[in-house]
Amino acid sequence: MNQTNTLRPKLFQVMKSYSKEQLVKDVIAGIIVAIIALPLSIALALASGVGPEQGIYTAIIAGFLISFLGGSRVQIAGPTAAFATIVAGIIAQKGMDGMIIATVLAGIFLILMGVFRLGTLIRFIPFTITTGFTAGIAVTIFLGQIKDFMGLTYPEGTKAVETMEKVMAMIENISTVNVQAVIVGAVCLLILIVWPKISEKIPGSLIAVIVGILMVKILKMHVNTIGDLYTISSSLPTFHMPHITIGAIRQGIPDGFTIAILAAIESLLSCVVADGMINDKHNSNMELVAQGVGNIGSVLFGGIPATGAIARTAANIKNGGRSPIAGCVHSITLVLVLVLLMPYAALIPMPTIAAILFMVAYNMCGWRTFVSLVKKAPKSDIIVLVATFLLTVVFDLVVAIEFGMIVACILFVKRMSEEASVKGWKYYGQNGEEDVDAAHLRNIPDAVRVYEVTGPLFFGVADMISNITLKKFTKVLIIRMRGVPAVDATAMKALEGLMDNCEKHGVTLIFSHVNEQPYHVMEHGGFVNRIGEENFCAHLDEALERADYILKGGF
């Protein structure tokens, strides 16, 4: 059996040929990735509306489970920017228990997707939708961090949960800008931009954190730090079971579905990128199961939703990681950081966190791809792209994905309907009808009409069957279907109506070159028995011979 179709963790396959040399490389890669993940996990936790330690919990629990059970050799999982605005919105509206229930449901959905081999179905989500909502999420993250970057102060009771509320609050309170906070944020942002050109060994985010702390402490700057706004905990994650009710489950299903779809898209996209870097092939179904287990474990032990992180996965590969052991080491390293170094996180200035998230937003926005699509894509795709982007920013990701998928499906149906056609062959006959095609193709008797059907026959074009007309002198009607790859129930209903009309007027219906799927549908519905298997011909010549036989009195 193909290993990509079996639910077997990649770790178990890798261990067959594992070596001490690779263990050393994986341990080094895991430690380096943990250093990269530390400031990102804290920043993304704060952007999600939870405490800084909960980002570390997510990277530890979800990171370990997804590496241990996953379908990729090198996937590194943890909190990602894609979930930040979703999680913040859920917590603001439904509290922590609401977020936990939604994520557990998402985990169940992901496990079921993997068990039922639905990993490949993710490719049916249009690229325009993923590009649109990814850019939209990037914008919402950027807008959400302006307050901390500029050190703005909001009056007590200011509602700033939704993106548009945040924008209005910023405009109304722009006069409270803290110049010292802007200086710290600008310096850290400059470091994040320039440092990768100096060294790729040490993550720029770690340098920015150190510089930000030193600026505030040494220069005695009046800038909010994490410790000023949050209570820091260095305790290990503990199990928490939320209060579950039928009502809470019903409310959590839409959010759970969104988290599941987003986790599936981002994790499998990360796997595909990683495959290209190490020349391997991931097991998408096993990866979905691991994502489900990892997310359930994360939120039940104090974390937030997680998925595969492309940047951290790429860093793992570049530093020599080639097995899930590296991902496990990354999680274990973060446990040590949590216990020994977490109190120092209280010193990190909030503008530094904002600067880190500005770079995260920029790296994920994919503006070049967005602009390229706007310039080159068909108008229908541009509509889906821009609508998904705007709805993500103005409303939320749930609305954006639902609207985007509906519009994409409608536009796809329209596009497919434009590809379908039903055309009758014209011919020279005793009634003086012109035949351009048959003059050089076939000698067709007057009593025989031939129609060529092309494109998929589905509900969007089924009414085209009504374009098939019969003449008073028509005795045989041939439907040529070599260009029809598929038919659906609505199209079959239309064909049955055509058969009724033929029987009413004493016309024999013959089909030529019916492809496999249409024939199977016709056979399953009893249509083949009604027409007669002898009236299904492999080629047009055979159909014309059959018509000639019928005209001569045959049956």
Side-chain angles (χ1 to χ4, degrees):
M1 183 181 288
N2 191 333
Q3 288 186 338
T4 59
N5 290 326
T6 58
L7 291 179
R8 188 182 183 196
K10 205 74 168 182
L11 175 65
F12 301 161
Q13 299 176 24
V14 170
M15 295 309 293
K16 291 181 179 179
S17 57
Y18 201 61
S19 63
K20 292 181 179 179
E21 292 79 8
Q22 188 55 55
L23 174 62
V24 173
K25 291 179 181 179
D26 286 337
V27 169
I28 294 172
I31 293 172
I32 292 173
V33 172
I35 295 171
I36 295 171
L38 176 62
L40 286 175
S41 297
I42 293 173
L44 291 168
L46 297 180
S48 301
V50 297
E53 69 279 0
Q54 289 174 276
I56 307 296
Y57 293 166
T58 306
I60 292 172
I61 303 297
F64 186 88
L65 291 173
I66 291 172
S67 289
F68 188 82
L69 298 173
S72 169
R73 284 174 174 262
V74 292
Q75 179 88 287
I76 301 295
T80 63
F83 286 128
T85 53
I86 298 175
V87 173
I90 295 173
I91 292 174
Q93 295 175 12
K94 303 171 185 175
M96 283 299 297
D97 278 6
M99 186 273 290
I100 295 172
I101 291 171
T103 308
V104 169
L105 289 170
I108 294 171
F109 293 154
L110 285 163
I111 292 171
L112 292 175
M113 288 167 66
V115 170
F116 290 104
R117 309 296 197 271
L118 300 181
T120 56
L121 293 183
I122 298 301
R123 70 178 187 269
F124 292 116
I125 296 179
F127 180 62
T128 47
I129 290 180
T130 58
T131 303
F133 74 62
T134 301
I137 290 170
V139 170
T140 58
I141 290 172
F142 176 83
L143 293 174
Q145 296 307 308
I146 292 177
K147 174 182 180 291
D148 288 330
F149 188 86
M150 300 181 71
L152 301 179
T153 302
Y154 294 171
E156 188 175 347
T158 299
K159 188 177 181 182
V161 177
E162 302 294 337
T163 302
M164 291 300 101
E165 293 174 346
K166 292 177 181 177
V167 172
M168 292 304 299
M170 283 187 288
I171 294 173
E172 292 171 359
N173 298 282
I174 192 66
S175 60
T176 65
V177 62
N178 181 344
V179 176
Q180 294 184 3
V182 174
I183 292 172
V184 173
V187 170
C188 292
L189 185 59
L190 184 63
I191 291 170
L192 291 166
I193 295 171
V194 175
W195 185 260
K197 299 176 183 178
I198 299 173
S199 172
E200 292 186 358
K201 298 281 186 181
I202 304 174
S205 56
L206 186 61
I207 301 299
V209 165
I210 294 172
V211 171
I213 292 173
L214 293 176
M215 286 180 69
V216 172
K217 283 296 179 183
I218 295 175
L219 301 178
K220 306 295 181 181
M221 302 180 81
H222 297 286
V223 176
N224 279 336
T225 64
I226 291 178
D228 294 331
L229 304 179
Y230 300 91
T231 301
I232 304 296
S233 172
S234 59
S235 61
L236 292 173
T238 56
F239 181 81
H240 170 69
M241 175 61 71
H243 178 64
I244 300 175
T245 64
I246 297 298
I249 292 174
R250 287 175 179 170
Q251 290 182 356
I253 288 176
D255 292 323
F257 181 74
T258 301
I259 292 171
I261 292 297
L262 193 55
I265 292 172
E266 191 165 2
S267 64
L268 295 185
L269 177 61
S270 177
C271 286
V272 170
V273 172
D275 286 349
M277 295 177 72
I278 65 173
N279 193 28
D280 191 43
K281 187 171 179 61
H282 72 279
N283 182 333
S284 59
N285 295 313
M286 190 66 240
E287 183 65 24
L288 289 177
V289 171
Q291 291 288 334
V293 174
N295 272 279
I296 293 172
S298 174
V299 294
L300 291 180
F301 282 89
I304 57 177
T307 186
I310 296 176
R312 276 160 271 175
T313 298
N316 179 35
I317 295 170
K318 289 178 182 178
N319 287 283
R322 289 297 182 275
S323 84
I325 296 295
C328 295
V329 170
H330 139 265
S331 297
I332 294 169
T333 303
L334 287 174
V335 172
L336 299 177
V337 170
L338 176 68
V339 174
L340 302 176
L341 303 177
M342 198 59 189
Y344 295 103
L347 303 175
I348 302 174
M350 293 306 295
T352 301
I353 295 294
I356 291 172
L357 289 171
F358 278 171
M359 288 304 297
V360 169
Y362 176 79
N363 290 329
M364 77 175 292
C365 74
W367 67 269
R368 292 182 179 85
T369 302
F370 194 100
V371 172
S372 177
L373 284 171
V374 170
K375 289 180 177 178
K376 300 176 183 178
K379 289 183 180 179
S380 59
D381 287 336
I382 295 173
I383 291 172
V384 173
L385 172 70
V386 175
T388 305
F389 169 74
L390 292 176
L391 288 170
T392 301
V393 175
V394 177
F395 294 100
D396 58 46
L397 190 61
V398 178
V399 174
I401 291 180
E402 289 175 351
F403 180 85
M405 285 299 295
I406 291 171
V407 173
C409 289
I410 291 173
L411 291 173
F412 174 77
V413 168
K414 181 178 181 296
R415 197 175 298 160
M416 288 298 98
S417 67
E418 291 169 351
E419 296 298 318
S421 66
V422 177
K423 296 181 180 179
W425 283 19
K426 298 178 181 179
Y427 55 91
Y428 291 110
Q430 62 185 15
N431 293 284
E433 295 189 28
E434 183 181 3
D435 180 352
V436 177
D437 295 319
H440 65 276
L441 291 176
R442 303 285 190 281
N443 181 21
I444 301 175
D446 294 346
V448 177
R449 291 189 69 78
V450 179
Y451 276 84
E452 181 98 23
V453 183
T454 57
L457 277 180
F458 65 109
F459 61 89
V461 297
D463 62 332
M464 287 187 178
I465 300 298
S466 63
N467 294 335
I468 298 175
T469 58
L470 304 174
K471 301 294 184 180
K472 291 182 179 179
F473 50 84
T474 302
K475 298 298 180 185
V476 178
L477 175 62
I478 298 176
I479 307 295
R480 194 182 194 196
M481 296 181 64
R482 62 176 180 172
V484 179
V487 300
D488 71 356
T490 306
M492 279 306 307
K493 183 68 176 176
L495 288 173
E496 289 171 357
L498 175 63
M499 181 59 192
D500 292 339
N501 192 36
C502 288
E503 289 178 344
K504 180 179 178 181
H505 292 87
V507 175
T508 301
L509 185 58
I510 298 176
F511 286 89
S512 165
H513 201 143
V514 178
N515 291 307
E516 183 177 353
Q517 193 275 350
Y519 187 84
H520 175 75
V521 173
M522 292 177 176
E523 186 177 43
H524 184 71
F527 192 71
V528 172
N529 288 336
R530 182 180 175 187
I531 298 290
E533 288 189 17
E534 66 279 5
N535 289 325
F536 282 82
C537 303
H539 301 285
L540 182 62
D541 288 335
E542 184 181 335
L544 290 171
E545 289 176 5
R546 173 66 182 164
D548 185 59
Y549 175 73
I550 291 171
L551 292 176
K552 290 178 180 178
F555 294 97

